[in-house]
Amino acid sequence: MNLDNFIDPEKWAFQQWGDTTVDRCDKLEYIGKSLLKMVEVPTTAFDQLQKRATVTENKNFFLRNIWYYALPGSRLKPGAMIAKTLLAEPVLLARSISGKVFALRDICPHRAVPLTCGRFDGHEIECGYHGWRFDHTGRCTAIPSLVEGQDLDFSRFCVKQYLVREVQGNIWIYMAADDKVVPPSPEMDIPEIPYFGSQSYKLVQTALFPCFIDHAVVGLMDPTHSPYVHRAWWWRENPKLVEEVKPFDPSPYGFTMRRHQIVNVPRVYGILGGVPETEIVFHLPSIRIERLSTERYTVCNLTAVTPLTETETEVTTTLYWDAPWLTAIKPIIQPLARAFLNQDRDVVVKQQLGLKHNPTLLLIKDADTQARWYYQLKAEFARATAEGRPFVNPVKETVLRWQC
């Protein structure tokens, strides 16, 4: 394969949705060092059979000025605090006695000891090294070593505060580009599960994937791996493939697979009765919401992918339902959900064996179009943020076909 015949990679990625030139992008150092490279493969007989292919060399970078899934709300009890690494930043998440959730940078400004190594009385956090105390906004309220007459301006010793929100039982955190938090734009809101109002989830599963976020997200939206990765008696035992035709539309900061009847119904869906219909929404930075419904019942699944570091990513799946009897069989559903998520994790673990050799990756049409959209969406959001302009969705209305 002669890579010299490929078109310019950045220009291909950018010009899918606009007239931006590479020269303009090279001026943006933030983008230039991290953008996805995509190039079209020359047509061969095999390519004609497999549609069009794309070579990708993804340059790792995290999106900023956007909401990320932090953790399930049930895992943070009143009066408790936990330490998490999010986007390679040390973060303290805590819930006050009154139930208010807040987040601070998990480093004491005095001598850099993590604040989570100290104490939390449900109101203020006390550093375990010298007893400095901070409130939920990160403002320093006490320095015990000071004596009378030693006046200090406590505002000099603030800890960075993160914006957090708790919605439908899930805690979200806004990861800004720098310490000067830019409030999120009104249209960049936290995605909510439809039809369930303020209800919390019924079931939650979390798994740690040993990979960069992009590989977890692309695996999450991959429509054709199921017959091979999720082969089980309760999902799909028969590997026979059927053609699927799916219409897609652009939606806020992502895309939506239109509501349709499921052609190849997994066995576990049979418990809902009738022929289920589904609608799937993807939303930046890494959120997938699937609504599964029959005439009587609705089940929604929110799966969120959260980057911890460049080599570790947390994948959380939460389930919502309105069928009371599903709650009764939750002890059965729980291990199945865990097994399903672990199947995805196991294949990502295997993928890392190949990725350590830094190969180029081929994406084809139509099966991999959603992955290509993800990279385009991510690049456009980063560019729009760097240029201080509105986001322009690169996804267009289309119909995709594949066998699964």
Side-chain angles (χ1 to χ4, degrees), residues 193-211:
I193 304 298
Y195 309 107
F196 287 91
S198 60
Q199 294 181 46
S200 184
Y201 50 79
K202 304 290 187 181
L203 181 149
V204 60
Q205 285 290 334
T206 301
L208 185 64
F209 283 41
C211 66

Side-chain angles (χ1 to χ4, degrees), residues 106-115 127-132 134 157:
D106 193 17
I107 297 179
C108 180
H110 181 210
R111 301 284 289 277
V113 170
L115 290 172
C127 179
Y129 197 0
H130 295 94
W132 288 28
F134 303 88
F157 306 107

